[in-house]
Amino acid sequence: MAARLYRAVFALVAWFALGLQYWLTISGNPHMGAGELTLNFFSYFTILSNILVALALTAPVVAPNSRIGRWALSEGVRAAVAMFIVVVGVVYHFLLAGIWAPQGWALVGNVLLHYVMPAAFVIDWLAFTPKGRLRWVDPAKWLIPVLIYGGWTLLHGKLSGWWPYWFTDVDKLGLGKVLVYFAGLLVFFLVVGLIVVAIDRTFGRRDRQAIAA
């Protein structure tokens, strides 16, 4: 019951934050078409990760026995989403927060997407997700969506001239420097994933020992 209530509350927060950010994107750029703005909106890793968070919180509440509900409740899926959203929060705080100062509703959306939802989902993963089934190889598998995102970012940026983050801007930095940044981020993703697995295995071992006692 506690898990369902917690997830329901933060699912609403997540969808509100995403809707708010989309509205700000569309309304704040009247000189660009809605289609282009929508494509750009869904080209932010922050947005994609928060959509995964929103789905992972919503599905177990509204349809736990459906295919998407079972997917969302999978230990591997929830751990991977935790890895993604933790990286979103950390990278934003250390690489992006200092270069702009959002105000008003933009500040609300920014705080929700980059701070509140990462913290909320990590708490959900720690408190409500069964532990002890992850393997050390899993974080490497979780990098596949990141690699796909990186490829899309380079392709989309090359065709449109638009880059979601300053460290992805090939036009300004050059491809070599962008690839160095991306390699560093991949390593960071992997480290965070390994920490997630270490926590999972530690909690799983503790739970097994508690049952045996």
Side-chain angles (χ1 to χ4, degrees), residues 132 134-136 197-206 208:
L134 299 181
R135 299 169 298 170
W136 291 111
V197 173
I199 294 172
D200 172 86
R201 293 171 73 91
T202 300
F203 279 28
R205 186 164 53 249
R206 182 203 62 184
R208 287 193 297 270

Side-chain angles (χ1 to χ4, degrees), residues 66-109:
S66 67
R67 179 174 297 181
I68 191 173
R70 293 191 297 272
W71 169 85
L73 288 169
S74 165
E75 291 91 338
V77 167
R78 301 192 78 77
V81 174
M83 180 188 78
F84 296 151
I85 202 64
V86 165
V87 172
V88 163
V90 173
V91 169
Y92 174 80
H93 185 76
F94 289 102
L95 295 183
L96 299 169
I99 64 175
W100 77 309
Q103 304 293 324
W105 284 112
L107 177 61
V108 173

Side-chain angles (χ1 to χ4, degrees), residues 123-141:
I123 291 171
D124 176 274
W125 177 73
L126 288 171
F128 304 123
T129 301
K131 304 294 190 300
R133 297 183 182 180
L134 299 181
R135 299 169 298 170
W136 291 111
V137 72
D138 287 337
K141 296 180 180 179

